[in-house]
Amino acid sequence: MEIIIHDTPQEAAVAGARMVARLVREKPEAVLGLATGGTPLPLYRELVRMHREEDLDFSRVTTFNLDEYLSLGPEHPQSYHHFMREHLFEHINIPKENTHIPDGMTLDVPAFCRDYERRIAEAGGLDLQILGIGSDGHIGFNEPGSSFASRTRIKTLTRETLQDNARFFDGDPTLVPRHCITMGIGTIMDARCVLLLAFGPGKADAVAGMVEGPVTASLPASILQHHSTAKILLDSPAAATLQRADYYRWVRENRPSWQQD
Ligand code: GLP
């Protein structure tokens, strides 16, 4: 794990966007795993800016989103389909057929999930997976207790996640769908590179558990300690309870000049 602490979410997001952009420039047909939620928004804004001002080309990129609420159609304002169009896809030159998001209206969830895994494999696997983290340590919608071997499947959201995400549903947790389709932890771990972003004091405990706690299904993000290429981009408040924060900063300050992000 590489822990990278920035002063602000904006600085961290710009650093993350540069990593994505470098991959897309080196490998124009890159396969990206995308996340939703508030955390990746500044990263997507920076990618849009790079597309407009620096010719960052998404015409051959393929994307797979982590998750979607079950029962929400693609036009629902709180669906992740809507989120991705609004915040990224409508502002870059990615062909619609290259974008994949779980279908919240599927009538056959197991068959859809098997097919989603097949499509990821056929695309050559994920080159880079962007992640946020839930306050309970979930990645995608893999709630505590999720198997580290899990693949794309249905999950039931915890009460804590319903409460966290109620802010997108008029503040009412009863309006948040209780079920979702999410890539599994095994799916995420197969990505060749993982980029997790976490901002704000509300994420500090989950971040500390993920980085310095035991690897446990009770805190799903802790499995990233076993990923060979996981970069964790934090702002200072999200890093506030890390025991070795000074060391992580020291590592960055003393990076050999040949090392790139
Ligand atoms: C959501 C998403 C996750 C996201 C997390 C944190 O429920 N399913 O992919 O990382 O919770 O969300 P936010 O970035 O809004 O804090």
Side-chain angles (χ1 to χ4, degrees):
M1 268 183 162
E2 195 180 346
I3 316 302
I4 307 168
I5 304 169
H6 287 271
D7 290 337
T8 66
Q10 181 61 21
E11 279 173 35
V14 168
R18 285 205 189 111
M19 293 176 199
V20 177
R22 195 161 60 91
L23 168 67
V24 170
R25 289 202 164 102
E26 280 172 7
K27 185 178 179 184
E29 70 287 5
V31 181
L32 303 179
L34 300 180
T36 50
T39 306
L41 284 176
L43 184 150
Y44 293 153
R45 272 197 293 274
E46 179 65 8
L47 289 180
V48 170
R49 189 199 65 74
M50 289 167 136
H51 168 67
R52 287 183 179 150
E53 297 175 15
E54 297 170 13
D55 292 328
L56 185 60
D57 178 18
F58 291 88
S59 63
R60 289 156 66 193
V61 167
T62 297
T63 64
F64 288 89
N65 265 77
L66 281 168
D67 45 19
E68 178 59 288
Y69 292 111
L70 273 173
S71 81
L72 298 193
E75 300 308 324
H76 190 288
Q78 299 312 332
S79 72
Y80 289 162
H81 282 76
H82 190 277
F83 177 102
M84 291 309 303
R85 288 198 305 272
E86 183 180 1
H87 295 295
L88 187 63
F89 297 155
E90 281 179 356
H91 310 290
I92 60 174
N93 65 332
I94 191 163
K96 188 173 185 308
E97 60 274 20
N98 289 14
T99 66
H100 306 270
I101 305 177
D103 177 5
M105 300 300 278
T106 180
L107 297 176
D108 187 342
V109 173
F112 178 85
C113 293
R114 277 193 302 276
D115 192 56
Y116 203 66
E117 288 281 333
R118 185 189 55 75
R119 283 187 281 165
I120 293 172
E122 275 183 12
L126 302 167
D127 288 302
L128 183 147
Q129 175 66 56
I130 296 168
L131 293 174
I133 184 170
S135 62
D136 62 2
H138 72 229
I139 46 176
F141 266 138
N142 293 283
E143 296 285 29
S146 292
S147 163
F148 286 159
S150 53
R151 311 302 303 191
T152 303
R153 70 207 183 294
I154 186 172
K155 282 298 284 184
T156 306
L157 301 181
T158 60
R159 288 193 176 90
E160 185 176 350
T161 298
L162 296 179
Q163 191 62 54
D164 282 350
N165 289 2
R167 67 189 195 278
F168 300 112
F169 292 82
D170 298 332
D172 182 352
T174 66
L175 298 179
V176 185
R178 291 189 185 176
H179 296 104
C180 65
I181 292 177
T182 181
M183 277 186 204
I185 295 180
T187 323
I188 293 167
M189 287 296 284
D190 282 350
R192 286 182 270 283
C193 179
V194 169
L195 187 60
L196 184 146
L197 297 93
F199 306 139
K203 299 294 172 71
D205 287 346
V207 165
M210 163 179 71
V211 175
E212 296 178 341
V215 175
T216 168
S218 297
L219 203 151
S222 64
I223 190 62
L224 296 177
Q225 292 179 33
H226 284 269
H227 196 287
S228 64
T229 324
K231 293 175 190 286
I232 313 296
L233 283 169
L234 307 173
D235 68 352
S236 303
T241 54
L242 287 170
Q243 301 284 320
R244 289 187 291 272
D246 279 351
Y247 175 65
Y248 308 136
R249 290 191 169 98
W250 170 256
V251 169
R252 293 293 291 181
E253 285 161 20
N254 290 283
R255 263 199 324 171
S257 56
W258 51 264
Q259 260 187 2
Q260 285 186 309
D261 276 326

